[in-house]
Amino acid sequence: MIRYPYTGSGFQRQKEKGIDYDQTFLVSLYRSMLRIRLVELEIERRYHEDEMKTPIHLVIGQEAACVGSTSALKREDLVYSSHRTHGIYLAKGGDLKRMMSEMYCRANGCAGSRGGSMHLIDKSVGMAGTSAIVGGAVPIATGAALAAQLKKQNYVSMVLLGDATTEEGVTSESLNFAVLKKLPVIFFCENNFYSVCSSLETRQPHVEIYKRSAGFGLPSVCVDGNNVLDVYEATREAAERARRGEGPTFIEARTYRWRGHGGAGDDSATGYRDSEEVKVWQKYCPIQIYYEFLSDRGDINGMQREQMESEINQEIQEAFAHAIASPMPKEKDLYTHVYSD
């Protein structure tokens, strides 16, 4: 049974109305999505070796949401996320070698081997932090937006949250406070329809998430989460609005994870979703449909794609080798970063 079909229209709107972006930017979006996919496939391929001592939550299938949203932000803008971290960390500019070192619990990991996959951070590019607690990042991102307002700094705070996070009380409190104070924050909901193995219809009444959020009195939109340009344009508009001092925006991006909630591989065989539903969404792979759109426009061709894949795969192998060869943390490291000086 296909409980949640793809309801987008691909790039039909862009084909009909045209777009006004230069080729370099358009191809960079493709490359960023492809890089995330290839990194995650390599993580998945090696995960059974049990050398990465961390749970993983793959974002395969949701790359357009990560890349489209962060591409609309500036380097100094802050991004917070939940446990599904790899895509948003890389899309915001996080260092791949430091990420892989973190996955292998090495001392030079981006969180000093203390966080693992679910707690990636790179402050140098505005990847401000992630939380494994459902909804944990939402009030932190809202607080960061309050800080920006009080300090009269012009950065925007964005938090990526899942559909289940909209069920948490802290999300309602944060939305209420952000609207009240007109905070420069973007609430970006990746709705992939499942919380672990629980479908949306078993957890929420049939009120669309973005419509429910609109009840707090802020602009709230729904976009095709597999269309990187739709995601980019909605986030850009939200960021511009925040910088003008007009307050927060809620964005619901409907997309789909191809793998299980956690670990490697697809877990559809457990029965919580139909494997045919996964296949339906794979027909609308965010990377492939975007490649076809660009290819039709003459922005990229097969030879360029192969070259790009080759370069990315080389970078990935170097990052894995770097991580594996990096030093383990020492016992004395247990006592660093415990207290603030």
Side-chain angles (χ1 to χ4, degrees):
M1 180 180 70
I2 311 302
R3 185 183 283 132
Y4 300 110
Y6 173 74
T7 56
S9 58
F11 288 88
Q12 193 59 39
R13 182 177 66 84
Q14 285 86 2
K15 290 177 181 176
E16 292 175 355
K17 296 186 176 180
I19 55 176
D20 189 25
Y21 304 116
D22 65 49
Q23 181 185 19
T24 300
F25 173 73
L26 292 171
V27 173
S28 73
L29 296 179
Y30 174 77
R31 191 184 194 285
S32 185
M33 288 195 292
L34 180 63
R35 181 170 179 254
I36 292 168
R37 174 71 59 86
L38 294 177
V39 168
E40 292 227 301
L41 288 175
E42 186 64 7
I43 291 172
E44 183 177 47
R45 189 182 73 81
R46 296 187 186 219
Y47 196 59
H48 75 282
E49 297 170 354
D50 200 25
E51 294 296 325
M52 287 178 265
K53 302 294 185 182
T54 175
I56 58 171
H57 300 81
L58 301 176
V59 75
I60 293 173
Q62 301 181 202
E63 295 89 347
C66 301
V67 172
S69 58
T70 53
S71 296
L73 301 180
K74 297 180 179 179
R75 184 184 180 91
E76 62 268 26
D77 292 332
L78 302 183
V79 169
Y80 297 84
S81 174
S82 62
H83 54 276
R84 204 172 300 283
T85 58
H86 310 159
I88 193 67
Y89 172 90
L90 293 173
K92 191 64 171 70
D95 186 280
L96 176 58
K97 287 183 177 177
R98 295 188 68 206
M99 171 179 142
M100 293 318 308
S101 288
E102 188 64 32
M103 302 284 283
Y104 278 89
C105 298
R106 295 308 201 259
N108 58 355
C110 62
S113 82
R114 290 167 172 76
S117 167
M118 293 193 288
H119 301 92
L120 302 181
I121 184 170
D122 189 339
K123 289 186 175 179
S124 68
V125 294
M127 184 62 213
T130 60
S131 173
I133 299 171
V134 176
V138 178
I140 298 172
T142 306
L146 176 63
Q149 185 183 73
L150 293 175
K151 294 178 179 178
K152 301 187 185 308
Q153 296 176 342
N154 195 34
Y155 67 80
V156 172
S157 176
M158 181 173 79
V159 57
L160 277 81
L161 54 134
D163 44 276
T165 301
T166 64
E167 300 157 18
E168 298 295 319
V170 73
T171 302
S172 297
E173 294 165 12
S174 297
L175 283 166
N176 179 71
F177 187 74
V179 174
L180 178 68
K181 299 294 184 181
K182 288 189 174 182
L183 299 182
V185 57
I186 302 168
F187 299 94
F188 189 95
C189 175
E190 294 176 284
N191 178 8
N192 63 22
F193 307 102
Y194 293 93
S195 174
V196 191
C197 297
S198 300
S199 66
L200 194 62
E201 67 183 16
T202 64
R203 296 180 285 111
Q204 299 183 14
H206 187 60
V207 178
E208 293 174 289
I209 291 173
Y210 80 101
K211 291 182 179 177
R212 191 163 67 245
S213 300
F216 286 89
L218 77 169
S220 187
V221 298
C222 182
V223 298
D224 179 354
N226 279 19
N227 182 323
V228 68
L229 293 180
D230 278 0
V231 174
Y232 169 77
E233 288 163 5
T235 312
R236 183 187 63 186
E237 185 174 333
E240 290 173 350
R241 183 171 179 276
R243 289 188 217 286
R244 292 195 301 266
E246 297 175 11
T249 300
F250 189 97
I251 300 171
E252 178 188 353
R254 293 178 182 170
T255 183
Y256 201 85
R257 61 169 161 79
W258 295 8
R259 299 298 193 258
H261 166 73
D266 178 17
D267 60 355
S268 299
T270 59
Y272 75 91
R273 66 180 181 183
D274 195 320
S275 59
E276 290 302 314
E277 186 173 274
V278 181
K279 294 176 183 176
V280 165
W281 278 85
Q282 287 175 338
K283 292 179 182 176
Y284 302 96
C285 168
I287 301 172
Q288 182 60 28
I289 62 173
Y290 186 55
Y291 172 78
E292 292 170 359
F293 172 68
L294 293 183
S295 180
D296 288 345
R297 286 170 40 87
D299 292 321
I300 193 170
N301 57 43
M303 186 177 297
Q304 291 168 316
R305 177 167 67 172
E306 288 182 12
Q307 177 66 25
M308 195 180 292
E309 286 184 9
S310 175
E311 292 170 356
I312 295 171
N313 279 323
Q314 182 176 346
E315 180 198 10
I316 292 170
Q317 294 308 316
E318 290 173 357
F320 271 82
H322 169 84
I324 292 169
S326 293
M328 291 285 188
K330 298 179 179 178
E331 184 175 345
K332 66 180 178 60
D333 294 333
L334 286 170
Y335 304 103
T336 59
H337 307 306
V338 177
Y339 299 105
S340 177
D341 292 330

